[in-house]
């Protein structure tokens, strides 16, 4: 990768070819919709957590369990399943902020909680399940 690519300075010909990674994430989340919802329900029914978290990434990751691998499925994003408890245990969510997270957590039957990891950083996104 060239430094210009990292700094986004080479915009003329590349810009039209590259789309935002979040557009490809939305496409993959729509594609994965049913599978992610099934895993969320299973995690809650088994009593593992009331707060399932799905991690969307494009690199190697040691967090949660792989449920959808981009290499196997020919998609842009891989998805791991995790829990609020693992995020607290690993220090991603600080113990003192756990209650704030729980308060802002959306209904897991209607929304997938996705921790999106991109080179610029990471953040939580709530993406609605597509009801068929």
């Amino acid at each position: 990768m060239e430094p210009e690519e990292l700094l986004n300075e080479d915009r003329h010909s590349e810009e039209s070819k590259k789309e935002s990674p979040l557009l490809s994430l939305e496409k993959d989340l729509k594609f994965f919709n049913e599978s992610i919802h099934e895993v969320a329900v299973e995690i809650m029914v088994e009593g593992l957590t009331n707060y399932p978290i799905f991690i969307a990434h494009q690199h190697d990751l040691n967090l949660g369990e792989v449920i959808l691998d981009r290499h196997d499925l020919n998609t842009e994003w891989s998805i791991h399943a995790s829990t609020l408890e693992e995020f607290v245990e690993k220090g991603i969510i600080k113990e003192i902020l756990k209650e704030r997270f729980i308060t802002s957590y959306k209904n897991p039957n209607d929304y997938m909680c996705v921790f999106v990891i991109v080179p610029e950083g990471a953040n939580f996104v709530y993406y609605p399940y597509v009801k068929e």
Side-chain angles (χ1 to χ4, degrees):
M1 179 173 273
E2 297 298 320
E4 295 87 282
E5 290 176 285
L6 291 172
L7 299 173
N8 252 346
E9 291 177 1
D10 183 22
R11 295 179 182 263
H12 49 83
S13 62
E14 292 296 315
E15 189 172 324
S16 60
K17 287 189 235 173
K18 289 185 179 178
E19 62 178 26
S20 164
L22 296 180
L23 292 175
S24 67
L25 175 59
E26 183 175 23
K27 179 181 159 199
D28 284 358
L29 289 178
K30 286 178 181 174
F31 180 70
F32 294 150
N33 180 69
E34 192 175 320
S35 299
I36 291 174
H37 189 254
E38 286 175 11
V39 171
V41 169
E42 189 176 313
I43 287 171
M44 292 183 293
V45 166
E46 289 181 8
L48 298 174
T49 189
N50 289 324
Y51 308 98
I53 299 172
F54 297 93
I55 305 130
H57 63 93
Q58 296 177 313
H59 308 288
D60 291 334
L61 184 68
N62 188 16
L63 179 64
E65 298 289 325
V66 179
I67 60 167
L68 300 159
D69 186 286
R70 67 190 181 103
H71 300 292
D72 294 343
L73 298 167
N74 197 28
T75 58
E76 302 253 347
W77 295 81
S78 291
I79 307 291
H80 288 208
S82 185
T83 63
L84 167 61
E85 293 76 8
E86 181 181 17
F87 270 59
V88 170
E89 180 185 309
K90 297 218 173 177
I92 299 166
I93 296 175
K94 293 185 168 94
E95 183 69 43
I96 59 170
L97 297 176
K98 181 178 174 181
E99 285 304 314
R100 184 188 302 173
F101 180 85
I102 290 170
T103 303
S104 66
Y105 192 87
K106 294 191 177 196
N107 183 335
N109 293 309
D110 297 328
Y111 294 89
M112 57 182 89
C113 175
V114 183
F115 188 63
V116 182
I117 302 173
V118 293
E120 297 80 20
N123 211 340
F124 288 97
V125 173
Y126 288 91
Y127 191 79
Y129 288 114
V130 179
K131 305 291 183 188
E132 308 281 327

